[in-house]
Amino acid sequence: MKMMSKNTKKIICHLLKNFELSNINQISRMLNISLGSVFKILRDLEKNEIVSVKKLGNAKYYNLNLKNNETIKLCELLLLEEKRNLKSYSKIYANEIKDFKSAELIILFGSILKNKEFNDVDVLFVTKKIKEAVKICLEISKTKTKPVVPLILKKSDLIKEIKNKKESILDIIRTGIVIKGESVFLEIIKNVQM
């Protein structure tokens, strides 16, 4: 596959983080990309087995083909690129938090990613070491201007929350930035893909 365009990256990220089936119209509207471009990109992704297609009535619905190793690698690279492109405060906090060794997955989310003004730093930790996660958040909070607020879940609980379509968790998945554990994130998405 040749170098990916910005719109191709946007579509793959959208399908990765919104793991319900999407049709061309939904993708076009949500990402503000023309129908023609979305159609062409999805056709190429389908040809390369990056996406799978499901026909429901007259419409085609798309999902990432996470059985394909190339898809997995592409998604890992896109998640790494998202992390690398973090700006200012979010990058500073991410660099401190990502070194927490006892977490399988760490996702930065909330107002720190959207606003220059933020009251705290929201972080999802997927770990069994709850006390250690709380401790590192307290330590970072002492040296920084804003407190780090952890949401701590075991992997099985995160999968269950996603399968139960808990809106707050789905929002974290859709809008958050994975700062550690890209392969674990993809494993979780593969597990809940509908």
mmCIF file of all heavy atoms in Angstrom, residues 16 66 72 76 79 104-105 155 159 181-193:
data_model
loop_
_atom_site.group_PDB
_atom_site.id
_atom_site.type_symbol
_atom_site.label_atom_id
_atom_site.label_comp_id
_atom_site.label_asym_id
_atom_site.label_seq_id
_atom_site.Cartn_x
_atom_site.Cartn_y
_atom_site.Cartn_z
ATOM 1 N N LEU A 16 -11.459 2.618 13.753
ATOM 2 C CA LEU A 16 -10.808 2.003 14.912
ATOM 3 C C LEU A 16 -11.486 2.408 16.219
ATOM 4 O O LEU A 16 -11.723 1.587 17.097
ATOM 5 C CB LEU A 16 -9.327 2.402 14.960
ATOM 6 C CG LEU A 16 -8.523 1.929 16.162
ATOM 7 C CD1 LEU A 16 -8.488 0.409 16.227
ATOM 8 C CD2 LEU A 16 -7.110 2.494 16.111
ATOM 9 N N LEU A 66 -9.537 -6.599 11.587
ATOM 10 C CA LEU A 66 -8.481 -6.797 12.580
ATOM 11 C C LEU A 66 -7.940 -8.230 12.597
ATOM 12 O O LEU A 66 -7.119 -8.566 13.441
ATOM 13 C CB LEU A 66 -8.964 -6.364 13.963
ATOM 14 C CG LEU A 66 -9.247 -4.859 14.085
ATOM 15 C CD1 LEU A 66 -9.822 -4.525 15.451
ATOM 16 C CD2 LEU A 66 -7.999 -4.032 13.807
ATOM 17 N N ILE A 72 -3.544 -4.374 11.681
ATOM 18 C CA ILE A 72 -3.067 -4.209 13.060
ATOM 19 C C ILE A 72 -1.861 -3.269 13.082
ATOM 20 O O ILE A 72 -1.814 -2.308 13.865
ATOM 21 C CB ILE A 72 -2.685 -5.577 13.684
ATOM 22 C CG1 ILE A 72 -3.887 -6.518 13.724
ATOM 23 C CG2 ILE A 72 -2.037 -5.402 15.047
ATOM 24 C CD1 ILE A 72 -4.893 -6.269 14.798
ATOM 25 N N GLU A 76 -1.562 0.414 14.815
ATOM 26 C CA GLU A 76 -0.537 0.709 15.825
ATOM 27 C C GLU A 76 0.252 1.952 15.440
ATOM 28 O O GLU A 76 0.504 2.818 16.278
ATOM 29 C CB GLU A 76 0.404 -0.482 16.017
ATOM 30 C CG GLU A 76 -0.212 -1.618 16.798
ATOM 31 C CD GLU A 76 0.706 -2.830 16.944
ATOM 32 O OE1 GLU A 76 1.820 -2.844 16.382
ATOM 33 O OE2 GLU A 76 0.294 -3.785 17.630
ATOM 34 N N LEU A 79 -1.879 5.047 15.978
ATOM 35 C CA LEU A 79 -1.979 5.364 17.412
ATOM 36 C C LEU A 79 -0.684 6.012 17.907
ATOM 37 O O LEU A 79 -0.714 6.970 18.690
ATOM 38 C CB LEU A 79 -2.309 4.110 18.226
ATOM 39 C CG LEU A 79 -3.716 3.534 18.039
ATOM 40 C CD1 LEU A 79 -3.831 2.168 18.702
ATOM 41 C CD2 LEU A 79 -4.782 4.490 18.564
ATOM 42 N N GLU A 104 -1.200 -2.010 31.537
ATOM 43 C CA GLU A 104 -1.148 -2.609 30.201
ATOM 44 C C GLU A 104 -1.502 -1.559 29.145
ATOM 45 O O GLU A 104 -1.023 -1.617 28.020
ATOM 46 C CB GLU A 104 -2.175 -3.733 30.086
ATOM 47 C CG GLU A 104 -1.926 -4.926 30.969
ATOM 48 C CD GLU A 104 -3.019 -5.957 30.788
ATOM 49 O OE1 GLU A 104 -3.029 -6.633 29.740
ATOM 50 O OE2 GLU A 104 -3.879 -6.061 31.687
ATOM 51 N N LEU A 105 -2.396 -0.642 29.529
ATOM 52 C CA LEU A 105 -2.913 0.362 28.609
ATOM 53 C C LEU A 105 -3.137 1.646 29.392
ATOM 54 O O LEU A 105 -3.653 1.611 30.513
ATOM 55 C CB LEU A 105 -4.239 -0.133 28.004
ATOM 56 C CG LEU A 105 -5.062 0.832 27.169
ATOM 57 C CD1 LEU A 105 -4.332 1.207 25.885
ATOM 58 C CD2 LEU A 105 -6.421 0.224 26.829
ATOM 59 N N LYS A 155 -8.654 -5.113 32.479
ATOM 60 C CA LYS A 155 -8.943 -5.290 31.051
ATOM 61 C C LYS A 155 -10.327 -5.899 30.841
ATOM 62 O O LYS A 155 -11.093 -5.452 29.999
ATOM 63 C CB LYS A 155 -7.876 -6.159 30.396
ATOM 64 C CG LYS A 155 -7.982 -6.121 28.880
ATOM 65 C CD LYS A 155 -7.192 -7.161 28.106
ATOM 66 C CE LYS A 155 -5.772 -7.331 28.451
ATOM 67 N NZ LYS A 155 -5.078 -8.300 27.588
ATOM 68 N N ILE A 159 -13.508 -4.241 28.697
ATOM 69 C CA ILE A 159 -14.190 -4.952 27.606
ATOM 70 C C ILE A 159 -15.687 -5.027 27.886
ATOM 71 O O ILE A 159 -16.515 -4.766 27.013
ATOM 72 C CB ILE A 159 -13.568 -6.354 27.391
ATOM 73 C CG1 ILE A 159 -12.156 -6.203 26.805
ATOM 74 C CG2 ILE A 159 -14.451 -7.226 26.501
ATOM 75 C CD1 ILE A 159 -11.324 -7.480 26.810
ATOM 76 N N GLY A 181 0.516 1.113 25.315
ATOM 77 C CA GLY A 181 -0.231 -0.128 25.116
ATOM 78 C C GLY A 181 -1.061 -0.188 23.840
ATOM 79 O O GLY A 181 -2.192 -0.664 23.869
ATOM 80 N N GLU A 182 -0.494 0.252 22.730
ATOM 81 C CA GLU A 182 -1.227 0.247 21.461
ATOM 82 C C GLU A 182 -1.720 -1.150 21.098
ATOM 83 O O GLU A 182 -2.869 -1.314 20.667
ATOM 84 C CB GLU A 182 -0.340 0.792 20.321
ATOM 85 C CG GLU A 182 0.043 2.238 20.448
ATOM 86 C CD GLU A 182 1.182 2.511 21.444
ATOM 87 O OE1 GLU A 182 1.883 1.561 21.849
ATOM 88 O OE2 GLU A 182 1.359 3.683 21.808
ATOM 89 N N SER A 183 -0.887 -2.168 21.295
ATOM 90 C CA SER A 183 -1.293 -3.532 20.935
ATOM 91 C C SER A 183 -2.414 -4.035 21.847
ATOM 92 O O SER A 183 -3.311 -4.753 21.402
ATOM 93 C CB SER A 183 -0.102 -4.486 20.962
ATOM 94 O OG SER A 183 0.488 -4.505 22.234
ATOM 95 N N VAL A 184 -2.391 -3.632 23.126
ATOM 96 C CA VAL A 184 -3.459 -4.015 24.060
ATOM 97 C C VAL A 184 -4.768 -3.330 23.658
ATOM 98 O O VAL A 184 -5.838 -3.946 23.667
ATOM 99 C CB VAL A 184 -3.081 -3.655 25.518
ATOM 100 C CG1 VAL A 184 -4.243 -3.912 26.470
ATOM 101 C CG2 VAL A 184 -1.847 -4.433 25.949
ATOM 102 N N PHE A 185 -4.675 -2.057 23.259
ATOM 103 C CA PHE A 185 -5.852 -1.324 22.791
ATOM 104 C C PHE A 185 -6.485 -2.068 21.610
ATOM 105 O O PHE A 185 -7.698 -2.288 21.579
ATOM 106 C CB PHE A 185 -5.450 0.102 22.382
ATOM 107 C CG PHE A 185 -6.585 0.961 21.913
ATOM 108 C CD1 PHE A 185 -7.414 1.604 22.827
ATOM 109 C CD2 PHE A 185 -6.828 1.148 20.560
ATOM 110 C CE1 PHE A 185 -8.460 2.406 22.400
ATOM 111 C CE2 PHE A 185 -7.872 1.949 20.119
ATOM 112 C CZ PHE A 185 -8.690 2.583 21.049
ATOM 113 N N LEU A 186 -5.663 -2.471 20.653
ATOM 114 C CA LEU A 186 -6.181 -3.174 19.468
ATOM 115 C C LEU A 186 -6.763 -4.530 19.840
ATOM 116 O O LEU A 186 -7.778 -4.951 19.286
ATOM 117 C CB LEU A 186 -5.074 -3.326 18.424
ATOM 118 C CG LEU A 186 -4.745 -2.015 17.727
ATOM 119 C CD1 LEU A 186 -3.412 -2.089 17.015
ATOM 120 C CD2 LEU A 186 -5.837 -1.623 16.760
ATOM 121 N N GLU A 187 -6.144 -5.204 20.793
ATOM 122 C CA GLU A 187 -6.667 -6.497 21.267
ATOM 123 C C GLU A 187 -8.056 -6.302 21.872
ATOM 124 O O GLU A 187 -8.973 -7.094 21.625
ATOM 125 C CB GLU A 187 -5.690 -7.028 22.313
ATOM 126 C CG GLU A 187 -6.008 -8.367 22.898
ATOM 127 C CD GLU A 187 -5.104 -8.678 24.090
ATOM 128 O OE1 GLU A 187 -3.887 -8.395 24.006
ATOM 129 O OE2 GLU A 187 -5.627 -9.170 25.096
ATOM 130 N N ILE A 188 -8.238 -5.243 22.637
ATOM 131 C CA ILE A 188 -9.537 -4.939 23.250
ATOM 132 C C ILE A 188 -10.568 -4.619 22.168
ATOM 133 O O ILE A 188 -11.689 -5.135 22.193
ATOM 134 C CB ILE A 188 -9.404 -3.784 24.271
ATOM 135 C CG1 ILE A 188 -8.650 -4.285 25.511
ATOM 136 C CG2 ILE A 188 -10.770 -3.220 24.651
ATOM 137 C CD1 ILE A 188 -8.188 -3.193 26.455
ATOM 138 N N ILE A 189 -10.178 -3.797 21.194
ATOM 139 C CA ILE A 189 -11.098 -3.435 20.106
ATOM 140 C C ILE A 189 -11.502 -4.693 19.323
ATOM 141 O O ILE A 189 -12.670 -4.882 18.986
ATOM 142 C CB ILE A 189 -10.466 -2.370 19.163
ATOM 143 C CG1 ILE A 189 -10.154 -1.084 19.928
ATOM 144 C CG2 ILE A 189 -11.364 -2.099 17.968
ATOM 145 C CD1 ILE A 189 -11.298 -0.435 20.657
ATOM 146 N N LYS A 190 -10.529 -5.540 19.044
ATOM 147 C CA LYS A 190 -10.803 -6.793 18.318
ATOM 148 C C LYS A 190 -11.799 -7.638 19.100
ATOM 149 O O LYS A 190 -12.694 -8.256 18.531
ATOM 150 C CB LYS A 190 -9.487 -7.546 18.113
ATOM 151 C CG LYS A 190 -9.563 -8.715 17.177
ATOM 152 C CD LYS A 190 -8.168 -9.295 16.976
ATOM 153 C CE LYS A 190 -8.156 -10.408 15.965
ATOM 154 N NZ LYS A 190 -6.809 -10.930 15.749
ATOM 155 N N ASN A 191 -11.660 -7.640 20.416
ATOM 156 C CA ASN A 191 -12.510 -8.423 21.294
ATOM 157 C C ASN A 191 -13.964 -7.931 21.301
ATOM 158 O O ASN A 191 -14.886 -8.713 21.496
ATOM 159 C CB ASN A 191 -11.931 -8.343 22.713
ATOM 160 C CG ASN A 191 -12.315 -9.513 23.555
ATOM 161 O OD1 ASN A 191 -13.485 -9.799 23.744
ATOM 162 N ND2 ASN A 191 -11.314 -10.205 24.061
ATOM 163 N N VAL A 192 -14.166 -6.622 21.103
ATOM 164 C CA VAL A 192 -15.523 -6.070 21.200
ATOM 165 C C VAL A 192 -16.123 -5.703 19.839
ATOM 166 O O VAL A 192 -17.276 -5.291 19.775
ATOM 167 C CB VAL A 192 -15.559 -4.813 22.118
ATOM 168 C CG1 VAL A 192 -15.156 -5.172 23.518
ATOM 169 C CG2 VAL A 192 -14.726 -3.687 21.564
ATOM 170 N N GLN A 193 -15.336 -5.863 18.792
ATOM 171 C CA GLN A 193 -15.801 -5.468 17.456
ATOM 172 C C GLN A 193 -17.107 -6.187 17.131
ATOM 173 O O GLN A 193 -17.236 -7.379 17.321
ATOM 174 C CB GLN A 193 -14.731 -5.814 16.418
ATOM 175 C CG GLN A 193 -14.798 -4.979 15.190
ATOM 176 C CD GLN A 193 -13.651 -5.305 14.232
ATOM 177 O OE1 GLN A 193 -13.377 -6.458 13.972
ATOM 178 N NE2 GLN A 193 -12.998 -4.278 13.751
#
